[in-house]
Amino acid sequence: MSLDLSTRVESALEAQTLAISNTAKKMKAAGIDVVSLSVGEPDFDTPLCAKEAALRAIHENFTHYTDSNGIADLRETIAKKFREENGIKDATASNVIVSAGAKQCIYNTLMALCNEGDEVIILAPYWVSYPAMAVMCGARPVILSGEYEHAYKVKPEDLRKAITPRTKCVILNSPSNPTGMMYTEDEIRAFGAVIAEYDCYLLSDEIYEKLTYGDIKHFSPGAISELSSKVITVNGVSKAYAMTGWRIGYLHAPDHVFREVSKVQGQSTSHPSSIAQKAALAALQFGSEDVIAMHAAFSARKSLVCSLLAEIPGLKFHIPDGAFYVFISFDEIQDDVDFCAYLLEEFHVALVPGDAFGCQGALRISFAASEDTLRKGIDRLARGLKAYGRKK
Ligand SMILES: Cc1ncc(COP(=O)(O)O)c(C=O)c1O
């Protein structure tokens, strides 16, 4: 008898971000005063309208199976959002699927698109889960790295060079986790022009859409009509509405992709929780003021973090255009995994090494934390950096 396990799953990496926050949690539980700036979730409360809608759903016994693609009124609301806010003119509820987080939307899509040996182009620094998901779906992640000097932006000509007959899909994430960088409309249109030339899909992960700070306006490639048969747009309520635990994400896909993604979901999880769907519906319909308030706080924190970091010698960073992260780069430190382990052990501050995002000599700091926590964490980072330099 062979007790082999799936080589696809075995060869996929575990999320380093989760590993670090778990260690930090354990240290906290042991009574150590750990400052965690590693998490990718808003520290705000879920909007009241969403919580009340969930309670109503429970009391009204809205607790049974729903349509596996999601409840009709939520899908209608999402389709309207895609039309009005994202310029996806033809978006209808019949092309929308609601899943257990944007994460499941991405996984379902890659599962529906990829055959063994296909390639998925991922722009680095990337969100930790993309390569592992591609591997688990039988595909080979092809990493295309942006450089610090160009704010980590990948150029369309580099994308063209990376495309092969095996390329099934390109994943775009703007605003980006971990860099906070955003591509402009022109840059996205230039990517779109490349994609239009080849038989491949574009998966646009727009989960940080509502959290933008600078002059760049969020642009959805799904709005480019020539790409309507190729773009899958993913979004969700986790980040914008502080609803990470509710697990609601959603996507829009062209008919032929929609059918397959729907099959993946129908045969695996069915649908996300009926109660969470009602909560997400309320958030999308009535939560815009909460989004504005949280955005204002994030914006103030971004300015604070950038001004504190600017005073620390030995590191450099770009001011993020969006999301809630600053991606710090070091000239002197290459082994960021060792440095982050040192910071956690000796200075009790949890940060995520650039290695987790496919970029060495860097680390990610999340500003989804209170101003006091941010000040404390950045002070520890500064002291740790100095001490690490002496140690080497
Ligand atoms: C870029 C990116 N995409 C997707 C997700 C997943 O979001 P959700 O909580 O909706 O699954 C995250 C969460 O960290 C993310 O950073």
Side-chain angles (χ1 to χ4, degrees):
M1 188 177 77
S2 159
L3 289 175
D4 277 3
L5 298 170
S6 156
T7 45
R8 286 200 321 279
V9 177
E10 277 188 324
S11 59
L13 288 174
E14 272 177 57
Q16 280 193 50
T17 40
L18 292 182
I20 289 158
S21 62
N22 286 344
T23 311
K25 272 183 199 151
K26 272 190 204 144
M27 288 170 73
K28 272 186 195 167
I32 301 171
D33 166 34
V34 175
V35 174
S36 185
L37 301 180
S38 65
V39 289
E41 66 173 335
D43 53 325
F44 300 109
D45 292 332
T46 292
L48 188 61
C49 61
K51 292 193 275 198
E52 285 179 346
L55 289 174
R56 253 193 325 274
I58 293 171
H59 290 299
E60 290 170 6
N61 296 308
F62 193 74
T63 53
H64 300 275
Y65 287 137
T66 71
D67 182 319
S68 77
N69 294 319
I71 54 176
D73 40 2
L74 177 55
R75 292 170 74 203
E76 291 288 352
T77 302
I78 293 165
K80 184 164 174 280
K81 181 235 176 289
F82 277 138
R83 286 194 303 273
E84 293 177 359
E85 296 184 5
N86 304 101
I88 307 175
K89 286 193 282 301
D90 302 328
T92 59
S94 56
N95 291 74
V96 166
I97 301 182
V98 184
S99 300
K103 201 170 207 171
Q104 197 197 1
C105 295
I106 299 166
Y107 188 81
N108 285 354
T109 302
L110 292 178
M111 194 72 181
L113 296 183
C114 294
N115 286 310
E116 212 71 33
D118 281 351
E119 293 169 359
V120 173
I121 296 182
I122 295 169
L123 314 184
Y126 47 70
W127 180 45
V128 286
S129 294
Y130 298 143
M133 286 191 194
V135 168
M136 289 200 283
C137 294
R140 191 170 77 81
V142 174
I143 309 299
L144 197 51
S145 294
E147 288 162 14
Y148 177 85
E149 289 66 33
H150 300 116
Y152 299 107
K153 290 189 180 192
V154 168
K155 299 197 185 86
E157 55 269 30
D158 295 330
L159 176 63
R160 180 179 277 105
K161 280 188 214 141
I163 294 179
T164 75
R166 306 236 54 160
T167 306
K168 183 52 73 71
C169 173
V170 177
I171 303 182
L172 184 70
N173 174 220
S174 173
S176 150
N177 175 6
T179 64
M181 172 274 282
M182 286 175 75
Y183 285 100
T184 63
E185 176 174 342
D186 285 351
E187 288 163 340
I188 291 176
R189 285 190 182 277
F191 278 137
V194 175
I195 302 279
E197 290 173 38
Y198 299 91
D199 287 333
C200 78
Y201 293 94
L202 178 62
L203 192 163
S204 179
D205 178 351
E206 307 182 2
I207 192 80
Y208 294 100
E209 172 198 13
K210 300 265 182 209
L211 297 171
T212 67
Y213 311 109
D215 297 332
I216 301 178
K217 227 173 141 270
H218 173 79
F219 180 71
S220 298
I224 306 172
S225 46
E226 304 83 77
L227 294 183
S228 61
S229 61
K230 295 184 166 182
V231 178
I232 297 97
T233 309
V234 172
N235 209 323
V237 296
S238 290
K239 315 287 177 174
Y241 297 89
M243 291 180 69
T244 45
W246 298 80
R247 309 309 302 131
I248 296 289
Y250 51 83
L251 62 74
H252 178 270
D255 289 339
H256 58 297
V257 178
F258 168 88
R259 274 194 297 276
E260 302 311 301
V261 176
S262 169
K263 227 190 271 176
V264 175
Q265 176 147 306
Q267 297 292 23
S268 53
T269 55
S270 294
H271 57 81
S273 146
S274 57
I275 298 155
Q277 290 188 64
K278 284 288 190 190
L281 175 61
L284 289 171
Q285 287 179 328
F286 311 114
S288 57
E289 282 182 15
D290 298 82
V291 175
I292 292 169
M294 289 188 267
H295 176 273
F298 278 129
S299 187
R301 290 166 179 189
K302 182 212 72 171
S303 303
L304 172 72
V305 168
C306 291
S307 67
L308 293 172
L309 290 174
E311 286 168 16
I312 305 176
L315 58 78
K316 57 187 181 183
F317 61 94
H318 292 283
I319 295 174
D321 305 308
F324 39 66
Y325 310 104
V326 182
F327 200 62
I328 300 168
S329 180
F330 303 98
D331 289 329
E332 301 295 324
I333 298 173
Q334 269 309 306
D335 192 345
D336 45 64
V337 175
D338 182 68
F339 180 49
C340 283
Y342 174 78
L343 287 173
L344 186 54
E345 274 161 34
E346 303 294 329
F347 288 84
H348 302 161
V349 56
L351 299 160
V352 187
D355 184 63
F357 310 102
C359 180
Q360 266 85 43
L363 61 76
R364 187 193 76 176
I365 181 163
S366 161
F367 54 87
S370 72
E371 295 197 355
D372 280 351
T373 307
L374 290 169
R375 283 181 196 282
K376 204 161 143 185
I378 292 171
D379 176 60
R380 291 180 186 191
L381 165 66
R383 287 190 288 117
L385 185 58
K386 227 185 207 170
Y388 192 74
R390 281 198 298 270
K391 183 173 90 87
K392 291 277 135 178

